[in-house]
Amino acid sequence: MTNRPNPSIAWWTLTLLCLGVGAYAWVLYGLLPEVPATAPEFQASFARHHPAVFHVHVMAAALALLIGPWQFLPALRARHPRLHRWLGRIYLGGGVLAGGVSGLLLAPNTFGGPVANLGFGVLALLWLFSGWRAYRAIRQGRVDEHRRWMLRNFALACAAVTLRLYLPLSFVSGLPLAPAYAAIAWLCWVPNLLWAEWHIRRSAPAPVAARLGAFAG
């Protein structure tokens, strides 16, 4: 896979999904006076969450989705390195740190029982860990390692997108909501992370700095 100047169809598809989910969350939880009603099972779990923690998580995760795709554009990194750095700081601080810590606090009370609680808890921990590793690597000047960890981190951030793709499928399938949601708590991020690892290993023979740009082109 070579580094092309223009973003690929796959990049545009993912970016539009991220922008759609991120903007939807900001409008739904940030602008509307009342959040529309959901399934009764979800309403009961929402009632157990601290409202401020829940809103921080939603808004921070949405921020990560709105910023993340652009950070993988080689043209942005090459032509506007300062903007790339500032967007990265906002992504890691306002998105990953705030969203990961609040997600970790929310995980024990999420709908779906202990399996879902554990799935979302592990997701939050890995999101925080990969963000920290990416930050530490770039602070020490290890650019290739930074990009590898950022790819893993963004794959985890996209759990917010894949979760919303799996939920309608679970409703259409007619499966009981609780076990389906418990499975989605893992399915929304484990395949994403496996894809990131596959992509990193597939790119290993060549400099990762050049190969990760293939994600965007």
Side-chain angles (χ1 to χ4, degrees), residues 5 16 19 32 52 85 120 127 135 137 139 156 163 166 175 179 204 212:
L16 290 174
L19 295 180
L32 295 184
R85 288 193 295 269
F120 288 122
W127 202 30
Y135 175 77
R139 291 291 293 175
L156 293 169
L163 182 145
Y166 285 131
L175 294 171
L212 284 184

Side-chain angles (χ1 to χ4, degrees), residues 1-12 69-78 84 143-144 147-148 150-151 195 199-200 202-203 206-217:
M1 190 178 293
T2 58
N3 190 11
R4 294 172 297 190
N6 297 317
S8 66
I9 294 176
W11 182 87
W12 277 113
W70 312 103
Q71 294 296 86
F72 291 92
L73 284 176
L76 178 67
R77 296 198 303 267
H84 175 75
V143 177
D144 285 353
R147 289 179 181 166
R148 290 194 294 270
M150 285 302 295
L151 183 61
W195 176 87
H199 188 77
I200 290 168
R202 183 171 181 259
S203 306
V208 178
R211 290 293 188 175
L212 284 184
F215 173 74

Side-chain angles (χ1 to χ4, degrees), residues 11 26 39 76 78 81 88 109 126 142 144 154 173 188 195 198 215:
W11 182 87
W26 272 14
L76 178 67
N109 291 318
L126 290 176
R142 302 194 302 272
D144 285 353
F154 186 61
S173 69
C188 69
W195 176 87
W198 170 82
F215 173 74

